[in-house]
């Protein structure tokens, strides 16, 4: 904002990233990344995929890369490279036509001289460059013709300079001899500076002195000789690629015409010296490439060089956006170049994606494990679990907003009394009692409660609740190949994370064991389970999973035991005495006997068992229904997308039953 004539003027903020712009949505990023991780992607791949897709409000890398390619095709499809040749030809035709008119009007001219001149004009070479060269020494009779011809030399000079120095064509329009002398002087000083730099003999003072004298020719405002060389080399390489992109005939014509630039061979020599120095100083630039232009809009040398420079910049942006090389980061993307080519909104999208990438690493959502692999951090898993628990609650209640009522009361119903807080208490605070205790302590210590209170641990009181039975919950999830093949892998994972979040935040006194069973069974922490990729092992070894569940229950003998089993197939493997998993399809009688025996033992111990049957296979339905009747268990057959709500609902039902039954004696 600036002040002008007593009024305020507002304009677009140009001091960097907009300080009022909304922050990037890490929640959206984390949810999407975690979803892909649960689906089997590595966290690194999941992050890359999210960055490629983009956010709800920002373009992703793939869309930006697509726009880069579209912009490239537009430039090639719109332009052709003979604009300078066409302009020179028009000026030449004008000069010749005006000269012929003058010869016709000039009655005083000797007939022999007139005939000779007309013959000379009539027999000019078909080549524009050759015709321009042949007329270099022609004594023009028409002032208009002479002016048109001189404009050819002026145009060529400005175009040749515009190839090396952007904007020179417009800057030197209607230039005086003094202006041309200043350009020539600048080229001489520039070549001298670059020559000293090649031999390591230049100083920063040399560069500062050069810019003080000639800085007006460099709108890029380089801050060092290296930046100056970078800008010049990019432009010069683009000019060379422009020539390479022309047909041999066009290239030959322009090379011959260039000698007529300003009518100064010295200018051509100094430009050749500049190109030679830049090639030596920046050999890594593309000096030999070419492009295929197919459009109708003719480009002059300067504008064509600018288009070639744009194409090179687009190629660099495409490489940066591809993130294809090791160690690539979105911080590598040139935001200024992206804004030039695709507009400011594209640069904002890329900047936001880079911030998300940075925040996922620096914000603790992704961590590198001991084996060097990226993993979702506990913070990220908790964040994901919270989201999934909300989804499960909505499924459970059938309406939004019921979650808090249904999931409250982890510590039991309040009795109306309060007591001093002890470490590990999860009951709600008695706010009135706590503040009263703090006031009393402050007065006793000689302080003034009116100046502010500082709570101490001894001030805190919590509301007493009725004692509630705690639960040991074993969630057994089938990880056999069919779970992934039938699209049940992701709902199963979402269910486990939702239940883990519920128990770890609302029912902290309960204990949860997460047990996977495929060919073998395995107890996992939630981080390992989240990163577990789909498995291709055949076998549904429920027997092994039940053995691990029984071991978990024995570690918590005073708790209510709740067993939740998610599976899409009947048992096809069991654990032999030697620890080997024996697989058989169809299921062997020995496998069924071993599995049923372990379920019988858990049932006799009072374990509340619920099967969550995924799929409609008759053999699975017969097995789980028969077991449920045998041990007093339950069977729930939800759709995969409703699994989370079903499991959470059964957990609540089991806890409610345990609290009303007062617990069950169990012998394991």
């Amino acid at each position: 904002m600036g002040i002008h004539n007593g009024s305020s003027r507002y304009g677009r903020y140009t001091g960097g990233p907009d300080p009022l712009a909304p922050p990037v949505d890490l929640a959206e990023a984390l949810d999407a990344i975690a979803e892909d991780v649960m689906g089997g992607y590595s966290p690194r791949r999941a992050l890359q995929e999210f960055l490629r897709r983009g956010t709800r409000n920002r373009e992703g890398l793939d869309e930006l890369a697509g726009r880069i390619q579209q912009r490239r095709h537009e430039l090639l499809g719109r332009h052709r490279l003979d604009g300078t040749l066409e302009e020179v030809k028009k000026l030449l035709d004008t000069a010749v036509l005006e000269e012929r008119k003058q010869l016709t009007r000039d009655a005083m001219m000797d007939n022999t001289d007139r005939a000779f001149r007309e013959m000379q004009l009539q027999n000019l070479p078909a080549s524009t460059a050759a015709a321009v060269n042949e007329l270099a020494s022609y004594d023009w009779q028409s002032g208009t013709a002479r002016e048109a011809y001189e404009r050819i030399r002026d145009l060529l000079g400005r175009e040749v300079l515009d190839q090396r120095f952007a904007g020179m064509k417009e800057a030197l329009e209607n230039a005086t001899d003094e202006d041309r002398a200043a350009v020539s002087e600048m080229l001489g000083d520039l070549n001298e500076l670059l020559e000293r730099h090649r031999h390591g003999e230049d100083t920063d003072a040399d560069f500062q002195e050069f810019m003080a004298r000639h800085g007006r020719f460099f709108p890029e405002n380089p801050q060092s000789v290296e930046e100056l060389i970078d800008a010049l080399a990019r432009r010069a390489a683009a000019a060379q690629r422009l020539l390479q992109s022309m047909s041999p005939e066009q290239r030959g014509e322009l090379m011959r015409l260039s000698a007529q630039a300003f009518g100064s061979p010295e200018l051509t020599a100094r430009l050749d010296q500049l190109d030679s120095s830049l090639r030596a100083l920046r050999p890594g630039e593309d000096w030999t490439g070419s492009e295929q232009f197919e459009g109708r809009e003719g480009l002059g040398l300067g504008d064509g060089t600018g288009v070639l420079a744009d194409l090179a910049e687009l190629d660099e942006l495409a490489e940066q956006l591809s993130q294809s090389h090791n160690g690539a980061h979105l911080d590598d993307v040139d935001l200024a170049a992206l804004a030039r080519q695709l507009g400011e909104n594209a640069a904002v999208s890329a900047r936001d994606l880079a911030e998300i990438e940075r925040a996922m690493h620096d914000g603790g959502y992704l961590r590198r494990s001991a084996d060097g692999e990226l993993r979702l951090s506990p913070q990220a898993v908790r964040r994901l679990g919270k989201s999934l628990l909300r989804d499960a609650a909505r499924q459970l209640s059938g309406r939004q907003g019921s979650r808090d009522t249904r999931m409250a009361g982890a510590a039991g119903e309040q009795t109306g009394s309060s007591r001093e807080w002890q470490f590990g208490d999860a009951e709600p605070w008695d706010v009135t009692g706590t503040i009263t205790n703090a006031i009393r302590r402050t007065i006793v210590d000689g302080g003034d409660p009116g100046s502010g209170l500082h709570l101490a641990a001894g001030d805190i009181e919590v509301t007493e609740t009725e004692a509630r039975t705690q639960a040991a919950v074993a969630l057994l999830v089938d990880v056999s190949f069919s779970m992934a093949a039938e699209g049940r892998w992701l709902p199963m994972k979402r269910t486990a994370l939702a239940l883990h979040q519920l128990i770890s935040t609302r029912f902290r006194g309960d204990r949860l064991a997460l047990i996977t069973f495929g060919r073998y069974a395995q107890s996992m922490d939630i981080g390992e389970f989240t990163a577990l990729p789909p498995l291709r092992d055949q076998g549904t070894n429920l027997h092994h999973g039940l053995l691990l569940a029984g071991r978990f229950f024995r570690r918590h003998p005073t708790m209510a035991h709740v067993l939740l089993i998610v599976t899409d197939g009947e048992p096809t493997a069991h654990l032999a005495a030697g620890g080997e998993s024996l697989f058989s399809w169809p299921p062997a009688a020995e496998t069924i006997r071993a599995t049923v025996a372990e379920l019988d033992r858990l049932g006799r111990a009072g374990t509340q068992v619920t099967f969550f049957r995924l799929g409609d296979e008759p053999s699975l339905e017969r097995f789980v229904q028969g077991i449920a009747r045998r041990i007093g268990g339950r069977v729930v057959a939800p759709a995969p997308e409703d699994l989370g709500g079903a499991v959470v609902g059964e957990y609540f039902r089991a806890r409610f039953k345990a609290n009303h039954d007062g617990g069950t004696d169990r012998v394991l």
Side-chain angles (χ1 to χ4, degrees):
M1 179 182 73
I3 305 299
H4 181 65
N5 293 334
S7 62
S8 299
R9 294 193 307 168
Y10 296 87
R12 184 172 184 174
Y13 181 76
T14 58
D18 185 354
L20 300 180
V24 295
D25 188 358
L26 283 182
E28 179 188 357
L30 182 59
D31 288 347
I33 291 168
E35 190 86 355
D36 283 346
V37 168
M38 289 194 299
Y41 284 8
S42 69
R44 183 188 302 279
R45 171 79 182 281
L47 175 58
Q48 291 172 342
E49 289 298 317
F50 175 78
L51 296 176
R52 293 193 178 287
R53 292 193 301 266
T55 70
R56 286 188 296 267
N57 303 316
R58 290 285 180 254
E59 298 167 289
L61 297 182
D62 283 348
E63 187 171 353
L64 291 174
R67 289 181 60 195
I68 289 288
Q69 292 304 315
Q70 182 180 3
R71 166 85 171 141
R72 201 179 196 287
H73 291 318
E74 286 175 355
L75 290 175
L76 292 172
R78 182 193 312 160
H79 299 297
R80 50 190 173 84
L81 301 181
D82 57 356
T84 296
L85 289 174
E86 277 195 346
E87 198 168 352
V88 169
K89 189 174 186 307
K90 287 179 182 178
L91 289 171
L92 178 63
D93 290 344
T94 298
V96 171
L97 178 61
E98 292 300 322
E99 180 69 5
R100 285 176 173 168
K101 289 179 181 178
Q102 182 62 34
L103 293 176
T104 302
R105 289 193 299 265
D106 195 348
M108 302 296 294
M109 180 177 291
D110 180 77
N111 288 336
T112 301
D113 187 27
R114 179 187 296 114
F116 176 77
R117 289 176 179 275
E118 289 179 346
M119 184 177 63
Q120 188 176 2
L121 296 176
Q122 182 71 31
N123 295 311
L124 286 174
S127 164
T128 301
V132 170
N133 288 333
E134 184 167 317
L135 293 173
S137 58
Y138 182 83
D139 181 18
W140 298 92
Q141 300 301 299
S142 167
T144 304
R146 182 184 302 107
E147 181 183 349
Y149 184 81
E150 290 301 325
R151 284 174 60 194
I152 291 175
R153 290 183 167 183
D154 181 72
L155 171 66
L156 290 170
R158 291 187 293 121
E159 288 279 21
V160 167
L161 287 171
D162 204 40
Q163 281 189 289
R164 276 74 170 189
F165 307 96
M168 194 71 81
K169 181 180 179 181
E170 292 77 13
L172 289 180
E173 192 169 10
N174 301 318
T176 65
D177 290 339
E178 289 182 357
D179 294 329
R180 298 188 185 98
V183 171
S184 182
E185 182 184 4
M186 180 272 291
L187 285 172
D189 290 347
L190 177 58
N191 283 327
E192 184 179 345
L193 175 64
L194 297 186
E195 188 65 21
R196 288 201 303 272
H197 186 74
R198 286 178 64 182
H199 294 90
E201 298 172 354
D202 64 317
T203 65
D204 186 59
D206 293 333
F207 170 74
Q208 298 299 337
E209 180 183 354
F210 174 83
M211 291 300 294
R213 296 181 63 189
H214 307 297
R216 65 187 183 279
F217 293 110
F218 303 96
E220 302 90 348
N221 192 26
Q223 299 300 304
S224 67
V225 68
E226 293 293 342
E227 289 187 14
L228 174 64
I229 293 170
D230 285 341
L232 291 172
R234 283 195 294 268
R235 186 82 179 176
Q240 185 61 35
R241 293 196 301 277
L242 174 70
L243 292 175
Q244 293 294 118
S245 302
M246 295 178 177
S247 68
E249 294 77 13
Q250 291 173 333
R251 185 162 56 249
E253 288 278 276
L254 282 171
M255 295 298 287
R256 290 190 291 272
L257 281 171
S258 296
Q260 295 291 331
F262 290 138
S264 172
E266 180 186 11
L267 175 66
T268 303
R270 287 186 172 181
L271 289 173
D272 289 343
Q273 181 183 351
L274 175 61
D275 287 346
S276 177
S277 294
L278 292 174
R279 278 177 177 268
L281 289 166
R282 292 294 185 270
E285 291 286 345
D286 182 7
W287 297 93
T288 60
S290 64
E291 298 289 350
Q292 187 68 38
F293 288 85
E294 301 173 344
R296 296 177 176 271
E297 185 178 319
L299 286 173
L301 293 180
D303 290 340
T305 298
V307 169
L308 264 295
D310 282 343
L311 290 172
E313 190 167 71
L314 289 168
D315 289 343
E316 290 178 8
L317 287 170
E319 175 65 23
Q320 294 164 7
L321 293 172
S322 72
Q323 297 285 286
S324 57
H325 61 277
N326 291 332
H329 294 285
L330 286 183
D331 287 334
D332 301 334
V333 176
D334 187 337
L335 297 182
L338 196 61
R340 280 194 299 273
Q341 297 299 337
L342 300 184
E344 190 63 35
N345 287 339
V348 170
S349 292
R351 186 200 67 211
D352 287 353
L353 293 176
E355 288 184 14
I356 289 173
E357 181 184 49
R358 239 183 346 264
M360 291 301 295
H361 288 279
D362 299 343
Y365 292 108
L366 295 178
R367 289 185 180 176
R368 200 167 296 281
S369 61
D371 59 5
E373 291 295 322
L374 283 178
R375 303 259 187 231
L376 289 180
S377 68
Q379 177 187 359
V381 172
R382 287 193 298 272
R383 168 69 181 77
L384 175 61
K386 185 177 180 180
S387 174
L388 297 177
L389 181 56
R390 283 198 302 267
D391 293 343
R394 292 189 185 102
Q395 296 170 6
L396 182 61
S397 65
R399 63 186 185 278
Q400 191 169 351
S402 303
R403 181 185 76 256
D404 291 337
T405 301
R406 186 69 184 264
M407 295 184 179
E413 299 299 329
Q414 297 182 10
T415 64
S417 302
S418 64
R419 59 176 174 79
E420 183 180 351
W421 173 83
Q422 298 178 358
F423 181 78
D425 284 340
E427 289 83 0
W429 285 17
D430 179 349
V431 177
T432 302
T434 297
I435 297 299
T436 301
N437 291 340
I439 293 173
R440 288 173 180 166
R441 178 180 52 76
T442 301
I443 294 174
V444 170
D445 292 343
D448 179 11
S451 61
L453 291 177
H454 297 280
L455 293 182
D459 300 331
I460 302 173
E461 290 195 10
V462 295
T463 57
E464 285 190 336
T465 58
E466 297 175 355
R468 283 200 164 201
T469 303
Q470 294 176 322
V473 183
L475 176 63
L476 273 64
V477 290
D478 187 345
V479 294
S480 60
F481 176 69
S482 59
M483 289 287 286
E486 297 296 330
R488 297 160 185 156
W489 188 265
L490 196 55
M492 173 267 292
K493 279 194 167 187
R494 294 170 64 91
T495 296
L497 263 71
L499 184 61
H500 175 271
Q501 178 71 13
L502 176 62
I503 292 175
S504 62
T505 59
R506 301 297 183 96
F507 296 92
R508 293 187 179 92
D510 288 0
R511 295 293 178 265
L512 172 66
L514 179 56
I515 300 171
T516 62
F517 62 96
R519 189 66 172 262
Y520 289 90
Q522 180 181 359
S523 295
M524 288 188 172
D525 64 38
I526 196 65
E528 291 177 306
F529 180 75
T530 303
L532 184 68
L535 305 177
R536 292 190 171 274
D537 289 342
Q538 285 186 319
T540 305
N541 197 338
L542 177 58
H543 172 246
H544 191 187
L546 295 171
L547 292 174
L548 296 182
R551 185 185 303 169
F552 165 70
F553 290 144
R554 287 192 291 274
R555 290 200 298 269
H556 304 284
T558 62
M559 295 183 175
H561 294 171
V562 178
L563 178 62
L564 308 173
I565 303 170
V566 178
T567 185
D568 70 346
E570 57 187 312
T572 58
H574 70 282
L575 206 63
E580 180 185 1
S581 176
L582 301 180
F583 168 76
S584 175
W585 176 257
E590 184 180 1
T591 295
I592 299 298
R593 282 196 299 270
T595 304
V596 170
E598 193 59 31
L599 283 165
D600 282 345
R601 198 161 73 88
L602 292 172
R604 289 194 301 271
T607 303
Q608 299 180 60
V609 180
T610 302
F611 282 92
F612 298 89
R613 175 175 61 81
L614 302 179
D616 299 320
E617 290 190 10
S619 57
L620 172 62
E621 185 175 2
R622 286 194 300 270
F623 174 78
V624 296
Q625 290 292 354
I627 285 294
R629 287 192 297 269
R630 183 183 179 101
I631 63 174
R634 287 167 53 83
V635 177
V636 180
E641 61 271 17
D642 297 328
L643 179 61
V647 169
V648 169
E650 281 300 302
Y651 167 70
F652 280 123
R653 186 199 64 79
R655 291 198 92 266
F656 179 82
K657 183 176 186 300
N659 281 309
H660 281 72
D661 291 350
T664 306
D665 293 335
R666 44 184 61 82
V667 179
L668 293 177

